[in-house]
Structures are given as C-alpha cells and as structure tokens.
Amino acid sequence: MKKFLPHLAAVALFILISAAYFWPAFNNKEMMQHDVKEFNGMSKEISDHRQAYHEEPLWTNAAFSGMPAFQISVKYPSNLIAYVHRAVTLGMPFPANVLFMLLFGFYILMLVMKVDPWLGFLGSVAFAFSSFYFISIGAGHNTKVVALSYLAPTFAGVLLLFRGKYLAGGALMALFLSLMICANHLQITYYLFMLILVYILFEFSSVIRTKAFMPFAKSIAVFGIAALLAVASSAGNIWSTYVYGKSTTRSRSELTDNPKDKTSGLDRSYITNWSYGKGESMSLLIPNVKGGGNRAIGNVSKNATKNVDQRMKQTVASMDAYFGEQPGTAGPTYAGAVTVFLFVLGLFIVEGRMKWFLLAGTIMSISLAWGKNMMWLTNIFLDYFPGYNKFRSVSMILTLAEFTLPFLAVLALERVTRKAGVMKESMKLPLFSKPVTKMRLFYVAFGITAGITLLYYVTPGSLTSFVKNGEDVELFDQIKGGNPTAEDQQVKAYVDEIMVGTEIARKSILQADAGRSLILIILAGGILFFYFRSNFDKRYLFASLAFIIVVDMGSVSWRYLNHDSFVDKKKVENQITPSVADKQILEDKSLDYRVLNMSLSTFNDASTSYFHKSIGGYHGAKLKRYQELIENHIFGSIQAINNTLMSSPTDSAIRIAFSKQPVLNMLNTKYIIYNKDAPPLENRFALGNAWFVRDVTYVADADKEIAALATFDPRNAVVVSEGFKQDLAGFTPAPDPSATISLTEYKANRLVYKTQAAKEQLAVFSEIYYSPGWNAYIDGQITPHFRANYVLRAMRIPAGNHQVEFKFEPTEYASGEKISMASSALLILLVLGAAAMELKKSFASTAEN
C-alpha cells in the first residue's frame, strides 16, 4: 500500500479537481452546447425510430433530404469497450469525466516515464488545463475531447512496447486506443498516429546505429496486433464509416471545375479555411495575443477602452476583440506560459532522442496548423499522406503541441531535480564548441520566454497588426448600407476613428495578457532559481509550480467555460421548440414531404430536422453529390425565392417563382418557412413522393448531369448518366395518364409504394440515391434501381398492380458488429490477463525486497 499511496493520492486529487471545476454537472445541470443542440435536431428521427421499432434505422430523412446515420447517431451495442469508458472515468457525469481522464491519462504516461508522482501530477495539470479542451467542451465538441483524453495513455502503451514490455505495452495501447476510436473522432486518432509515426522513425534511427533489429521488429509486430485489435473493436462503426465516406464531402468529386482546389478528399480551400496565423501561434504562450475569441471587446476587458476617445468608447466596446486570420474562433489554444518556459528549458538540458522527437512533433503540429499560411507543406500532406485530406480545420492539429509541450516540460524538471548540484554540470550543445553549464542554459531559456513576453508588452505594435484584413472595408459597407445618403468621405472618416479606437483597445487586451505571462514566467523562474540555490525538498518545488500552473491555465480556461456555463437540465432539453410555422406544417399528416427553412442558416442549423424532413441540416460529412446540388442549384433557388418575397409579391408571382425551381420541386419541397412566426408558404409544384416520367435525357458526365438540372422539367423528364444506360436497355417510354404510384408506408429505413399502370413505366422517387445499402423490391423480389437527376432514385416499374419497397440494408453494419463483439471481448481479456501478470510481478518484487 505504501507503494501505491502516492498514486491513489494523485487520483483522489484528480477527482477533486474535476468535481470542483464542473460541480454543477453533479447537480443536475448541463451546458448549452451548440453542437449538442444541432445533434439533437439531426438525431430526433433516429431516436424516435429506435424507440418505436427497437432497431437502428441507420438512415434518416430528416436532414439534407436523406443521408446515412452512421456519423449522426447510431448505437453499436456489440462494442464492449463503450462500457469500459464509463468504468475508467469512474461513472462521473460529463464533462467532469473528461477532465478526470485528461488528468489521469497523462499521469499514466508519467508513470511509464518513471518520474516522481508529484512531478507527474504537475505534468497532468499542465496538459489537462489547456484552454482548447475547455473551449471544445463549451462548443459541444464532446467526441473530440473524449478522444483527446485517451491520447496520452495510448502513447504510454507505445513507449512500453518499444522498451521491450510487449505484453503490458500492447495491452495498454490496445485498451486506450480502442477507447479513443470508440469516442468516434477519427481526426484526433489520425493525428496521434502521425505523432507515433514520428516517434517510430526516431526509434528506428537508433536501431540502425545499435543493430537491434529483432526487438524493434517485435515491437512493430505487437504494435500492429494491438492497433488491429483496437480498430476491430469498433469494426461496426469504422467499416460503415469507411463505406459511407466514399460518397461524402470527404471523397473526390466527379465535377471537374477548379481542379487545382481539388484533392481526393475535401477541397483545399475548405480544409484550410481555419488555418492558424503564424503570429497567432504565440497564443501558446500569450492567450490573448490575437484578442482571444470572437467576443465584444467590452466583454473581454472592461479596461480595454480606457484610453479610447470618449465619443468612440461604446462603439469600440462592441467591436470584435479577435483580430487573427481565422474566419472565427471561440478562443485561443493556450498551453501555459510556465509550460512553454519549461519546454524551452527542456530543449537545452534534456538529452537523448526523446527530446528531438518531442521537438519534431511540436514543429510538425504548429507548421501544419498554419495550413494555407504554409501551403507548400500542407499540399505535401494533402497529396501524399493517405487520409489527411479527409479532415477539415487544420488548426486542430495543434492538439499535438498541447501534448508535446508539457511532456518535454516535465522531462526538463525531472532533469534539473535529479540530484543536488546538477545545474553546475556542463553539457555540450550542437553548434557550440565549448560545453555550457546547465545554469547558464536556464538563464537562456528564461531570457527567451520572458524576453518575448516583455517585447509583446512593451512594443506590441512592432510584432503584430491589430486590424484584420478588409475589416475597415467591411465596416464601411455596413455603415454605408445603414445610411445610404451619407457621403463616402464622412463615412470613411468615421470608420477611421472607430478603427483607431479598436486598435487601442485590442493593444490593451494583448498587453494585459503579455504582462500576465511575463509575471508567471518570472514567478516560476524565481522559484526554480531559489531551489537551485537552496536545494529544498523538490516536492515543495513541484507543488508550488503545480499551483502556479493551475492558477495560470485554470483562469484562462475559466474565461471560456465556468459554472455560469451551466443551466437547468430542462432548459437544455427545451432548446428546440416549434415555431408558428412548424406547428402549422405539423398539422399536415402526409406520410412524406420536405421543408425548406429560409428563416435561419439552412445548411448550418438542424432545428428544422427536429420536426420535419428538412432540405437542410447541420453536418460536416454530408453526401458529396447533395453538397454539390446545394452549391450549384439550391443556393440559387433560395436566393431567387428571397428576391421574389422581398418585392411584395402577389400570390401569382410566388407561384411562378416556385414553378421555376426544378430542383426544389423534385426534392418534394412542399413547405417553405421564410418567417418562423408566420405561416409557411406551400409549394404546389412539389412533385410528391414518386412520379412517372415520359422523357429520358442521357448525359456523358457529372458536369453535364448537374448542369442539365437548371432547365429541365422534372415532372415529365429525367436526367440519367450514361453510366446507368444499361438499366434502361430495351425500355421505351409509354405515357399512361391513368398510371399511379403512391407512398403507403413510411419508416426511415423502409418505404412502401403501390403502383398501377397499363404499361411499363419509369418511376422517379424523391429519395436520395445511395447504392451501398438501399435495395429495391417489387412484390418481394429484389429489383435494380439507379441514380437519376444527379441525386435521386429511379427504376422501371412493370405493368399491372405492384408493391414497391425500398429497404436500407447495409451489410457492413451487421458484419462489423459481429467482429466488434469478438474483438472487444478478446481485448478486455487480454488487458485483464496483462494486468494480472503485472500485478503478480509487482507483488513478487515487493516480497523479495
């Protein structure tokens, strides 16, 4: 027990810290998280189906006219690892469980590194309190932070593996990697594998020198087995996502416009839209180096407008505090002033390849986060690293720097506290002819970090600009738009005054945080200096530095997520309420129709999906062809309808506007919400659930296919790619005015139609085509169907009376669940066996001693 007491104490402190920071979560309160609200809208039909039919629908028609549900809300009950997550986080409520795992996971890594428990605690705090995690939690990026909480212990397993601890390392890696994958944020997992690859390359460089190829080969083999087992535990999700991914916005487009922007995944411009500015990277050291997040200056600092012209104070206080290069951000990625100082110290005094690996990982992280600001490097990864172009928001890779910075910081403290008088020792540095004492290197590290913060405090204008590109022009247009009769010269003079005041306020915000970081570095440096001189108990050193780090990083994170972020659970549950328009539409009990909501951001809001089958929604991986339909046609249709409504139109003018929207009509867009507090507009040109057509237009490629939708008559004609021409071989259109087709039964994953026709007909269905899962049946016999009108389904219907069914039956889900059950059970047994063996060794060693 004596051996385990320090670790039990650390875990107890982690629990206490997590509970204290997120105490409201223990009192039936939750956060108003944007992405969780959108999730509730997107998943409503899925959860209703699950409750009604006790099955996973795997498809939803509630968003983007229909899409697979794999990355929305699908349960994978066969993956037993999901139950392990609750166990390792001690059943605590979200987000306290995530903070606990961030702390505990890094502590596991520190145990593997064999550092002092107090130092391990310090490192855990430095890692877990990065502002990025708290900002992500506040935004509702829950799967991201859960995945990140398992990054450190997964890497701990990798370290054990390459130290020859094959069973313990393999089991530890497999367990936490499986938990990370189960969290379902593959971008974070991908970044971890990038970091592991860098580590393996450094290990291999050592192997080349020592010729120890066999142990390295064993480590690689066990690594592969552990990774395979972890991946297989989430086989149902991964396999389904892999198949689905080929049809999403993360896949290559068949359109040939703007080829330089294309990759085999997302477009370069989309991937790099959220690129960290090079100067913004200093936020790792100074949180508000670019003003923080998109908040009003007055909300960031009450003193920021102190030196602003009295006439401009109120206006300037309402201006955006953020002046970085990203389109927007909730807050900075702050790693901690003390952490960065210790990291720089580690670059000088830590020896061995671990330091160079952590430096390489940090450089890779920061450089790739720059995205379009270092496009040559980004292009290399987009073009030559498989899977890299599937992920958006390149700035997210800064999560690796948030891991490597405290890691090396801990190693630096471990080196300087290893023994008395260690700072008097000299060491040889690359590019230097003479050895340098470690104490002198301490002064250099202190001088670099304190010097940078001092420069930002004294002369911030020489290091950064306080105005965003085009900000003054945008402000001019905004003011001029509200006052069209004002003279341009007067408006420009007014804008100039506002921008002068804004620069003063933003400069004040930056200087406040630069001074803050400077003071923290001086405090940490002073404590270390005193320790080197007096050599007091290092536990007091670690405790005092840990306290400073908690105050430092905790206070910055508190800016973005605190007790005020929590509200009563009922308020969270009632975020989405039906509007006047929603209520009226819900009176229509038809089996199937779609709604276009123009009163909000149609394609970035899922509240409409909560009540209706929506044309829009909120998702980062919608079907590629549907996204292209949005960009090429639906955006234009929305603009055309808006223009009509803004001109005080007659009913006849509105009807004419609707009649000219073939894409909306083929999607069965029956209702248009233009004002949530007013009755919706009813589109009588919506074509319904299915209809027969008499004309077929064949097109050679995707470019011609999507272009043809601009002017065709969807009621009577269909546009078909020549790739599906064989599906219509021998078919001759035979108009039959008496022929009928109607939807008689509706479920998210099963549609039933009744048809009657004297001759064979060609039917078009207002349902999204997705071949890896949807099967068509006529009278119980599976029957081919094909894609039409770029995104819809079509099929030949024989003469007579028939029942037509569409069933969503993707084989990968069921097969993946079987693999998942077997793999997760095997993995758990492996971990339990490895743990039993390690405990046995530990007890045996204790008995011998």
Side-chain angles (χ1 to χ4, degrees):
M1 285 303 298
K2 199 171 184 180
K3 183 178 180 180
F4 287 103
L5 273 177
H7 310 311
L8 292 173
V11 172
L13 282 172
F14 295 152
I15 294 172
L16 183 63
I17 291 170
S18 303
Y21 197 103
F22 291 117
W23 181 247
F26 292 85
N27 289 282
N28 206 35
K29 290 190 175 184
E30 294 182 359
M31 292 172 291
M32 300 285 273
Q33 298 170 291
H34 172 267
D35 276 25
V36 172
K37 174 192 170 186
E38 303 303 335
F39 164 80
N40 290 336
M42 290 287 287
S43 63
K44 182 63 165 59
E45 184 186 39
I46 301 166
S47 59
D48 287 348
H49 181 107
R50 184 184 296 130
Q51 186 174 358
Y53 303 107
H54 307 290
E55 65 176 7
E56 293 297 313
L58 308 180
W59 181 273
T60 178
N61 289 299
F64 302 114
S65 300
M67 63 183 290
F70 301 121
Q71 288 301 308
I72 300 175
S73 174
V74 172
K75 292 187 176 181
Y76 300 91
S78 296
N79 187 358
L80 304 178
I81 296 301
Y83 304 102
V84 177
H85 167 71
R86 185 163 181 80
V88 297
T89 55
L90 307 180
M92 287 192 288
F94 182 87
N97 59 349
V98 176
L99 179 54
F100 169 78
M101 197 61 228
L102 285 164
L103 291 161
F104 182 49
F106 198 85
Y107 188 77
I108 292 173
L109 175 62
M110 295 297 96
L111 292 181
V112 169
M113 294 301 299
K114 298 181 179 179
V115 302
D116 183 284
W118 280 92
L119 181 53
F121 174 82
L122 180 153
S124 299
V125 170
F127 170 73
F129 274 89
S130 169
S131 62
F132 180 81
Y133 307 141
F134 292 82
I135 292 167
S136 297
I137 291 170
H141 301 167
N142 298 350
T143 60
K144 181 197 302 179
V145 287
V146 172
L148 283 166
S149 72
Y150 292 119
L151 187 151
T154 302
F155 192 78
V158 175
L159 290 181
L160 282 177
L161 260 179
F162 284 89
R163 291 178 182 175
K165 300 278 189 179
Y166 303 121
L167 180 59
L172 190 66
M173 174 194 155
L175 173 64
F176 286 107
L177 180 58
S178 66
L179 284 163
M180 175 184 268
I181 295 171
C182 187
N184 196 29
H185 200 289
L186 295 182
Q187 187 167 359
I188 297 299
T189 307
Y190 186 93
Y191 290 158
L192 172 60
F193 271 93
M194 288 176 64
L195 189 66
I196 291 173
L197 177 61
V198 174
Y199 173 75
I200 291 175
L201 290 175
F202 273 89
E203 286 295 307
F204 186 65
S205 67
S206 174
V207 168
I208 292 175
R209 292 193 302 271
T210 61
K211 309 298 182 183
F213 292 106
M214 187 54 68
F216 181 79
K218 288 181 180 178
S219 298
I220 290 293
V222 176
F223 173 86
I225 294 169
L228 181 62
L229 203 54
V231 169
S233 295
S234 293
N237 184 15
I238 292 175
W239 193 354
S240 298
T241 300
Y242 171 74
V243 174
Y244 171 51
K246 296 178 181 179
S247 303
T248 70
T249 51
R250 311 300 174 105
S251 62
R252 184 186 296 275
S253 174
E254 294 180 53
L255 300 178
T256 60
D257 61 309
N258 198 8
K260 290 184 179 179
D261 197 38
K262 303 289 185 187
T263 72
S264 59
L266 295 164
D267 291 347
R268 297 175 203 274
S269 57
Y270 182 64
I271 292 170
T272 59
N273 196 30
W274 264 264
S275 295
Y276 231 59
K278 292 181 179 179
E280 195 168 359
S281 298
M282 290 306 299
S283 66
L284 293 164
L285 176 65
I286 304 169
N288 279 350
V289 73
K290 289 293 182 179
N294 291 112
R295 295 191 293 172
I297 287 173
N299 293 334
V300 174
S301 171
K302 294 180 180 179
N303 296 322
T305 57
K306 181 180 178 181
N307 297 320
V308 175
D309 188 309
Q310 187 66 35
R311 296 174 300 114
M312 294 289 110
K313 279 183 184 286
Q314 188 172 351
T315 302
V316 169
S318 65
M319 292 291 287
D320 191 358
Y322 176 70
F323 54 97
E325 295 182 28
Q326 298 182 87
T329 180
T333 302
Y334 180 57
V338 177
T339 300
V340 174
F341 160 50
L342 295 173
F343 173 84
V344 175
L345 177 61
L347 292 178
F348 290 115
I349 66 170
V350 174
E351 298 177 278
R353 60 182 180 276
M354 182 62 77
K355 174 184 74 174
W356 298 113
F357 151 67
L358 292 171
L359 175 61
T362 305
I363 293 172
M364 177 182 71
S365 173
I366 295 173
S367 300
L368 287 174
W370 288 341
K372 61 187 176 186
N373 299 309
M374 189 177 274
M375 200 64 203
W376 65 268
L377 178 63
T378 301
N379 278 332
I380 291 173
F381 278 79
L382 292 177
D383 293 334
Y384 301 108
F385 281 70
Y388 189 80
N389 55 31
K390 307 296 183 184
F391 305 116
R392 59 178 181 167
S393 187
V394 292
S395 59
M396 198 185 301
I397 200 171
L398 275 176
T399 53
L400 296 185
E402 292 172 288
F403 170 70
T404 56
L405 289 170
F407 196 162
L408 186 54
V410 169
L411 296 185
L413 281 176
E414 194 274 333
R415 295 300 188 275
V416 301
T417 59
R418 183 177 289 177
K419 60 181 180 179
V422 69
M423 299 305 288
K424 296 178 182 179
E425 296 176 357
S426 297
M427 59 184 299
K428 184 76 171 60
L429 292 179
L431 306 179
F432 285 81
S433 56
K434 295 182 180 179
V436 184
T437 64
K438 291 182 179 178
M439 196 65 199
R440 181 168 293 182
L441 295 175
F442 166 77
Y443 294 142
V444 172
F446 177 82
I448 290 173
T449 49
I452 290 173
T453 55
L454 181 62
L455 282 173
Y456 269 100
Y457 180 77
V458 176
T459 61
S462 64
L463 299 172
T464 185
S465 168
F466 294 97
V467 179
K468 291 182 281 189
N469 288 334
E471 186 176 16
D472 52 344
V473 176
E474 185 179 335
L475 184 59
F476 178 92
D477 293 340
Q478 181 183 340
I479 295 173
K480 182 70 175 176
N483 301 273
T485 59
E487 294 185 8
D488 288 358
Q489 199 63 31
Q490 290 179 318
V491 175
K492 186 178 184 306
Y494 181 56
V495 168
D496 288 344
E497 286 187 273
I498 294 174
M499 294 315 302
V500 168
T502 301
E503 288 187 59
I504 292 171
R506 288 172 174 169
K507 179 180 177 181
S508 174
I509 291 172
L510 167 55
Q511 285 180 307
D513 265 9
R516 177 185 182 278
S517 291
L518 175 61
I519 291 170
L520 290 165
I521 292 170
I522 291 172
L523 280 174
I527 292 171
L528 275 168
F529 179 81
F530 183 65
Y531 169 79
F532 298 147
R533 291 297 184 184
S534 60
N535 201 34
F536 56 83
D537 192 324
K538 64 182 179 182
R539 288 177 296 180
Y540 297 134
L541 169 69
F542 298 151
S544 57
L545 289 177
F547 177 76
I548 293 174
I549 289 171
V550 168
V551 172
D552 169 21
M553 302 185 68
S555 61
V556 172
S557 296
W558 193 260
R559 298 174 183 177
Y560 305 98
L561 182 62
N562 52 57
H563 289 181
D564 292 337
S565 306
F566 289 81
V567 297
D568 289 335
K569 191 174 182 179
K570 287 185 178 179
K571 190 173 182 180
V572 176
E573 293 172 348
N574 296 325
Q575 282 187 86
I576 304 176
T577 56
S579 65
V580 170
D582 290 324
K583 289 176 181 177
Q584 184 162 329
I585 294 171
L586 290 171
E587 292 178 5
D588 186 339
K589 302 303 180 183
S590 303
L591 285 178
D592 198 17
Y593 55 84
R594 293 197 177 92
V595 176
L596 169 62
N597 192 343
M598 303 193 310
S599 71
L600 40 72
S601 181
T602 307
F603 304 107
N604 288 290
D605 190 289
S607 57
T608 307
S609 300
Y610 191 89
F611 302 105
H612 316 293
K613 297 172 183 66
S614 176
I615 292 294
Y618 180 87
H619 203 269
K622 61 183 77 72
L623 289 166
K624 184 81 169 184
R625 280 183 166 256
Y626 194 81
Q627 177 63 33
E628 292 166 346
L629 194 73
I630 291 171
E631 295 169 356
N632 288 274
H633 292 289
I634 300 180
F635 276 149
S637 293
I638 291 174
Q639 186 61 52
I641 294 172
N642 265 326
N643 291 341
T644 300
L645 295 176
M646 289 172 64
S647 61
S648 302
T650 62
D651 290 343
S652 176
I654 294 174
R655 286 196 299 271
I656 291 172
F658 287 160
S659 70
K660 294 179 179 179
Q661 310 308 323
V663 169
L664 290 182
N665 294 334
M666 78 180 193
L667 291 172
N668 193 21
T669 312
K670 188 176 181 180
Y671 294 103
I672 290 88
I673 300 174
Y674 68 97
N675 179 353
K676 65 178 183 177
D677 297 319
L681 299 174
E682 184 172 354
N683 175 21
R684 300 187 183 279
F685 293 89
L687 294 178
N689 311 119
W691 59 95
F692 294 130
V693 295
R694 63 170 182 252
D695 298 319
V696 180
T697 300
Y698 292 105
V699 289
D701 53 42
D703 293 320
K704 293 182 173 61
E705 188 178 0
I706 201 165
L709 301 185
T711 56
F712 86 128
D713 173 15
R715 165 63 69 185
N716 298 304
V718 64
V719 178
V720 179
S721 170
E722 288 187 352
F724 294 103
K725 200 169 186 178
Q726 70 277 7
D727 289 279
L728 288 170
F731 174 75
T732 302
D736 180 1
S738 64
T740 60
I741 180 169
S742 59
L743 182 70
T744 59
E745 295 180 42
Y746 172 84
K747 286 170 62 178
N749 59 358
R750 181 175 178 267
L751 305 169
V752 181
Y753 304 81
K754 294 293 184 183
T755 69
Q756 182 277 320
K759 299 178 181 178
E760 184 183 29
Q761 298 293 314
L762 176 59
V764 178
F765 302 85
S766 64
E767 305 296 336
I768 300 301
Y769 178 84
Y770 180 74
S771 60
W774 277 107
N775 292 319
Y777 298 83
I778 294 181
D779 300 328
Q781 297 296 316
I782 194 164
T783 306
H785 72 288
F786 56 93
R787 190 185 66 234
N789 294 351
Y790 204 73
V791 296
L792 299 184
R793 306 173 202 165
M795 67 184 301
R796 295 162 65 166
I797 307 294
N801 298 325
H802 300 283
Q803 175 176 287
V804 177
E805 287 182 275
F806 278 103
K807 297 180 183 179
F808 193 54
E809 302 169 316
T811 57
E812 59 272 13
Y813 175 79
S815 300
E817 279 291 86
K818 294 175 183 176
I819 297 171
S820 181
M821 172 66 82
S823 300
S824 58
L826 180 60
L827 192 154
I828 291 171
L829 290 174
L830 171 66
V831 170
L832 291 175
M837 291 186 69
E838 288 299 315
L839 284 172
K840 185 177 179 180
K841 289 179 184 178
S842 179
F843 289 135
S845 175
T846 303
E848 288 176 6
N849 293 332

